[in-house]
Amino acid sequence: MGRIIDRYLNSNVLFVLILVGIFIFPMITISTKLPHFELTDLLVPLLIFRILKDNRFNLTIRMKQILIAVFLILSISLVINFKYNSYNDLFEYYKYIKIFLFVYFAKIYFFENKFLDKTIDFIFIILFLLNILQYFNLFNFNYLIEPLYADIKHLVYFGKNTLGEPDTKRLLGTFGNPNNNSLGLSFFFFYYLFNKRKNKIKYLFVFLSILLILASQSRTGFYAVTLIFVVFLFTNCKELRFKLFYVLLYLFSFFIINRFQDFEKIISTKKEESVLQVDHKKNNVIKLKQNKDVLNNKDVSGTKYLSSVDFEDMDQNTSINSRIKIWSELLKMIKNKPIFGHGPQKNFFYDRNLYPENEYILILWRFGILGLTAYIFVLFFPIYKSFRKFGWKLDYNLCFLILISITAITNLPLCEPRISILFAISYGFILKNLESDEKKIIVN
């Protein structure tokens, strides 16, 4: 029996299941009254069993200090702000325990480069196909499959503005949200960009990953990826011919994404398209009707949303203006409880349908100055240590953490459970590199 467990629950198998849970497996909902869960939740007891069986649960002094500080701040904030209807705030304990567990798993187990390459190639191919099916709604994918991944409201307005008119499409993918989808896809872009393989498959995957990032139309995500890409050209890419090649590949992806609309016309004019409608009060589908493709009447650029920010007229930009308004209100409330904050208070945001869209401000509001200090320390500690030890020698895990730290300014990346686990895996790999005498154990 022990050999069977070792065979099917070894670290390699668990790692594959983790990536499947992050990128491919949809959320599981048993009841609307119960919180949804994911494949990574089912893997938590298996990871604990594997670690304990291998007798590898041995925390460093620094990790113990961080854990004690995080949970002490969380506990004090919860006790001070606990209300009779806020029992769901207790799930914050599980959230941080889960992230820590996946960090520790990635840190203590070794994965060969060949295994990583094959696994990530396999996941990316499946992910690319699913994203293409969703973007073009091939085989009625957005009605039959995508509701497993995305909120129905995202699907209703996919490729449309609030008036129901054709607009640029923002790829939802398996994360069901353009911003989160962009972050997940960025992991692959960095992985292939820094991969030591020099074959056509690697360069093809670099191109396909940036193409999907563009299709997701996440402004902050794309600008952050571009910034990191430029740094890569100066620090890691030494040969001029490769610099030029990557720049041309990057520019070519813009051209292709702008032609996606033409590709869709060819597909959509041959058939009638299913259109979803939603009951906004019940948040579910109430009708499915057929109508002819409307894209023939209006041309929409594939990168319109990315280029729609007018920095000279910020007050006319609804997205930016609404964010600033919410941030201002939260910052005013922070003055009342600056040290330990207002607690998680999930119901406060649920009841008001409020999206803070800034993780730094959200942490400050929830856990005060002490919580924000702990958050910044945990987030930037491996980045700071990596630069001190390795200089400007970047790798894909470090770039992904930098991406998270930038996108947290206008989004909530670590509030998305799957992104938080992907963050934890990269975090653990970086800690392994920092504690290793050989710098290339994980870095390809």
Side-chain angles (χ1 to χ4, degrees):
M1 186 68 180
R3 291 182 178 179
I4 295 176
I5 293 175
D6 287 339
R7 180 178 178 183
Y8 292 104
L9 291 185
N10 64 45
S11 58
N12 284 357
V13 172
L14 288 173
F15 183 77
V16 173
L17 291 175
I18 290 169
L19 291 186
V20 170
I22 294 172
F23 292 107
I24 299 173
F25 206 83
M27 293 183 292
I28 304 169
T29 303
I30 297 177
S31 170
T32 55
K33 297 180 180 180
L34 297 174
H36 66 261
F37 60 95
E38 299 157 352
L39 180 59
T40 54
D41 294 302
L42 300 179
L43 295 177
V44 167
L46 301 182
L47 262 63
I48 295 174
F49 177 84
R50 178 78 266 174
I51 293 171
L52 292 178
K53 187 176 185 301
D54 292 341
N55 195 26
R56 303 191 68 169
F57 199 78
N58 185 21
L59 302 180
T60 62
I61 294 176
R62 180 59 64 100
M63 294 186 78
K64 289 178 181 177
Q65 291 173 340
I66 292 173
L67 274 177
I68 292 172
V70 169
F71 284 97
L72 187 61
I73 294 170
L74 173 61
S75 298
I76 294 174
S77 182
L78 276 169
V79 170
I80 293 175
N81 299 287
F82 192 78
K83 298 180 180 180
Y84 73 93
N85 64 340
S86 60
Y87 287 101
N88 55 350
D89 290 345
L90 297 176
F91 279 100
E92 287 294 297
Y93 283 109
Y94 172 72
K95 171 185 174 181
Y96 292 114
I97 290 173
K98 182 182 174 182
I99 290 175
F100 168 77
L101 181 64
F102 281 90
V103 169
Y104 194 70
F105 173 80
K107 176 179 177 292
I108 64 175
Y109 287 105
F110 171 76
F111 303 102
E112 294 182 355
N113 286 339
K114 187 176 292 186
F115 166 76
L116 287 175
D117 286 341
K118 290 182 178 180
T119 301
I120 292 177
D121 286 353
F122 172 73
I123 298 294
F124 180 70
I125 291 171
I126 296 176
L127 190 66
F128 176 79
L129 293 175
L130 291 174
N131 275 270
I132 290 298
L133 289 171
Q134 192 275 305
Y135 191 90
F136 293 112
N137 192 25
L138 297 175
F139 309 111
N140 217 11
F141 186 88
N142 287 339
Y143 180 67
L144 299 175
I145 306 297
E146 188 61 18
L148 296 174
Y149 298 103
D151 189 296
I152 197 63
K153 291 181 181 179
H154 282 106
L155 288 171
V156 170
Y157 293 106
F158 178 66
K160 298 179 178 64
N161 58 26
T162 54
L163 299 176
E165 299 172 340
D167 205 344
T168 186
K169 288 190 173 183
R170 303 186 65 199
L171 181 65
L172 301 175
T174 56
F175 286 90
N177 176 290
N179 295 323
N180 293 330
N181 200 48
S182 174
L183 288 176
L185 293 166
S186 297
F187 173 84
F188 292 96
F189 175 66
F190 293 139
Y191 184 84
Y192 291 118
L193 194 64
F194 289 92
N195 197 287
K196 294 300 182 182
R197 290 182 292 178
K198 292 185 178 180
N199 53 34
K200 295 179 180 179
I201 294 296
K202 170 198 168 175
Y203 299 122
L204 174 63
F205 286 171
V206 169
F207 169 69
L208 294 179
S209 57
I210 191 60
L211 198 66
L212 294 180
I213 292 171
L214 275 171
S216 297
Q217 300 285 292
S218 171
R219 294 185 187 120
T220 308
F222 173 73
Y223 297 149
V225 166
T226 302
L227 176 63
I228 296 170
F229 173 70
V230 172
V231 174
F232 160 81
L233 293 177
F234 284 99
T235 58
N236 289 59
C237 190
K238 302 300 182 182
E239 298 184 43
L240 179 61
R241 62 191 180 101
F242 281 113
K243 291 179 189 287
L244 293 175
F245 171 77
Y246 279 123
V247 170
L248 290 174
L249 197 66
Y250 215 68
L251 294 175
F252 183 61
S253 65
F254 276 90
F255 172 78
I256 292 297
I257 198 66
N258 275 300
R259 303 327 311 162
F260 263 23
Q261 207 69 52
D262 293 334
F263 301 152
E264 186 168 7
K265 287 181 181 180
I266 296 173
I267 297 171
S268 59
T269 52
K270 294 180 180 179
K271 63 178 179 67
E272 291 188 331
E273 184 178 335
S274 298
V275 177
L276 293 167
Q277 292 186 333
V278 65
D279 182 340
H280 292 279
K281 294 181 179 180
K282 297 182 179 180
N283 193 29
N284 59 4
V285 177
I286 58 172
K287 192 176 181 181
L288 178 68
K289 67 178 182 178
Q290 301 287 329
N291 76 339
K292 293 183 179 179
D293 175 54
V294 294
L295 291 173
N296 295 310
N297 302 321
K298 185 176 181 180
D299 290 325
V300 180
S301 168
T303 55
K304 177 185 175 183
Y305 189 83
L306 280 179
S307 58
S308 62
V309 178
D310 185 356
F311 292 100
E312 295 181 358
D313 197 8
M314 295 275 280
D315 60 332
Q316 297 300 314
N317 190 294
T318 305
S319 177
I320 295 176
N321 196 38
S322 61
R323 278 183 167 92
I324 293 175
K325 185 177 180 181
I326 294 172
W327 297 341
S328 299
E329 292 300 319
L330 292 178
L331 288 172
K332 288 178 183 178
M333 295 179 67
I334 289 168
K335 294 179 182 178
N336 298 325
K337 295 184 177 181
I339 306 301
F340 291 103
H342 295 263
Q345 296 299 329
K346 296 177 184 292
N347 293 333
F348 174 84
F349 297 96
Y350 294 156
D351 296 341
R352 292 164 178 78
N353 199 27
L354 194 63
Y355 301 94
E357 301 291 12
N358 183 309
E359 204 146 53
Y360 298 103
I361 292 178
L362 177 62
I363 294 294
L364 180 60
W365 187 91
R366 283 180 163 174
F367 306 115
I369 296 172
L370 292 179
L372 180 62
T373 302
Y375 174 81
I376 291 175
F377 176 82
V378 171
L379 183 59
F380 287 95
F381 170 76
I383 298 175
Y384 169 74
K385 295 290 286 186
S386 293
F387 280 123
R388 282 203 62 182
K389 185 171 183 178
F390 304 126
W392 282 91
K393 186 71 174 179
L394 301 176
D395 67 40
Y396 67 96
N397 293 304
L398 181 61
C399 286
F400 188 71
L401 259 64
I402 294 173
L403 178 68
I404 293 294
S405 67
I406 296 175
T407 55
I409 298 172
T410 57
N411 288 293
L412 306 172
L414 298 186
C415 287
E416 213 299 328
R418 289 166 295 177
I419 296 296
S420 69
I421 299 305
L422 189 58
F423 164 84
I425 296 296
S426 290
Y427 202 103
F429 281 169
I430 292 176
L431 293 183
K432 176 186 282 290
N433 281 340
L434 289 172
E435 294 180 4
S436 174
D437 292 329
E438 295 184 23
K439 299 180 181 179
K440 295 185 179 181
I441 286 183
I442 294 296
V443 180
N444 285 340

